Amino acid sequence: MPVPQSRGLVSRSLLRENAYQALRDAIVDGTLAPGERLNDSDLVAWLGISRTPIREALGRLEQTGLVRTKPGRYTIVSPLDLRAARGAQSVTAALHELAVREALPNLSAAELDAMRAANTRFAEALARNDVDAAVAADDAFHGVAVTASANQALRAVLEQFTPVLRRVERLRFSSLSGRGSVAQHDRIVELCAAGDVDGAAAATRANWETLAPLLDALPADEHAHEEDVAHEDVAHEDVAHEDVAHEDERHD
């Protein structure tokens, strides 16, 4: 869909991190659709900030795989593709398993309660088909172990790769395939409460690996949208050249 028409979404006093988060969330939730062109002027008007933090945010989004840019030609929202999603899944699954391993020896009763509460919110969100709330609750559930691990390197890598995977998860949570995660979350909490580090870590990895069927359904050709945009640019250039040629003929 086109860039939203609302204005001044991000306060001018906020830094590029806010622009990054706003654009990232709009891509993940589908407000900015795969393959959509991102024009600086539209984004400036929408977010209500200057061009510089927007360009910096787009650069970060390109590094995470959410945006593709061809300098001087176009910037588009990256299409969902098999290679990027599989890479993000393997990294994310391994790091969440590591987070549980590092967190579990010191995981408190309050943190276990926080996981249970997040899973309750998750189940309720799925029951009412509220994808946004389901994603937020799932983030909160897994975020307990990530925070408890106190591993900043782990957190930084997850922040880079999780947005790519969240686009796929939104498809899962909008279908019946996401319902099994509630029981898987319950099992993870049960194993954590029992102090079973290996079992909890394995269950966490298995939970993230349930995205595989959706990944298999993604398009394998990750450059399809990019090529379409490139062909469109060439077509525009050809029309422009023809116009110039006709103008020259009239002057002759």
Side-chain angles (χ1 to χ4, degrees):
M1 63 179 292
V3 171
Q5 295 301 306
S6 56
R7 296 292 187 262
L9 182 62
V10 176
S11 170
R12 293 182 183 276
S13 64
L14 300 180
L15 301 175
R16 60 181 176 273
E17 181 66 23
N18 300 82
Y20 169 76
Q21 291 176 1
L23 289 168
R24 178 200 62 195
D25 292 348
I27 292 171
V28 170
D29 69 20
T31 299
L32 297 175
E36 183 170 346
R37 283 177 177 268
L38 300 175
N39 298 314
D40 286 0
S41 57
D42 291 339
L43 298 178
V44 166
W46 173 40
L47 298 177
I49 59 176
S50 67
R51 190 182 303 266
T52 298
I54 288 175
R55 295 309 304 174
E56 291 173 344
L58 290 174
R60 287 180 62 189
L61 290 166
E62 186 171 19
Q63 291 177 348
T64 65
L66 293 178
V67 162
R68 289 185 188 157
T69 299
K70 189 164 186 178
R73 298 287 292 276
Y74 59 81
T75 299
I76 63 171
V77 176
S78 296
L80 287 167
D81 69 79
L82 184 59
R83 184 185 303 172
R86 281 198 180 282
Q89 184 203 22
S90 61
V91 170
T92 301
L95 289 182
H96 277 290
E97 177 183 4
L98 177 60
V100 169
R101 288 188 180 280
E102 294 191 350
L104 188 49
N106 301 310
L107 207 60
S108 67
E111 287 165 328
L112 289 171
D113 286 343
M115 293 175 72
R116 294 186 183 98
N119 198 33
T120 297
R121 296 194 303 274
F122 178 67
E124 292 171 348
L126 290 177
R128 63 177 184 270
N129 295 316
D130 187 339
V131 178
D132 289 334
V135 169
D138 192 59
D139 266 335
F141 177 86
H142 292 288
V144 172
V146 172
T147 300
S149 73
N151 186 328
Q152 292 303 312
L154 183 152
R155 179 189 292 273
V157 177
L158 283 176
E159 287 178 354
Q160 178 178 351
F161 288 100
T162 298
V164 173
L165 213 53
R166 281 303 185 207
R167 300 172 81 189
V168 182
E169 284 193 301
R170 293 185 68 84
L171 299 177
R172 178 174 65 162
F173 294 158
S174 64
S175 69
L176 292 177
S177 63
R179 304 304 193 262
S181 285
V182 176
Q184 290 178 328
H185 288 174
D186 281 337
R187 180 59 176 162
I188 292 169
V189 174
E190 178 184 333
L191 291 167
C192 285
D196 185 346
V197 176
D198 289 339
T204 298
R205 175 183 278 274
N207 179 233
W208 284 96
E209 289 177 344
T210 56
L211 287 171
L214 283 175
L215 294 178
D216 291 339
L218 292 179
D221 183 5
E222 65 180 89
H223 297 293
H225 285 273
E226 186 172 326
E227 290 175 356
D228 289 343
V229 173
H231 291 158
E232 182 181 334
D233 283 344
V234 170
H236 285 311
E237 290 176 1
D238 289 342
V239 170
H241 290 159
E242 289 177 5
D243 289 343
V244 171
H246 291 159
E247 184 67 21
D248 289 342
E249 290 174 1
R250 285 197 294 272
H251 284 299
D252 290 342

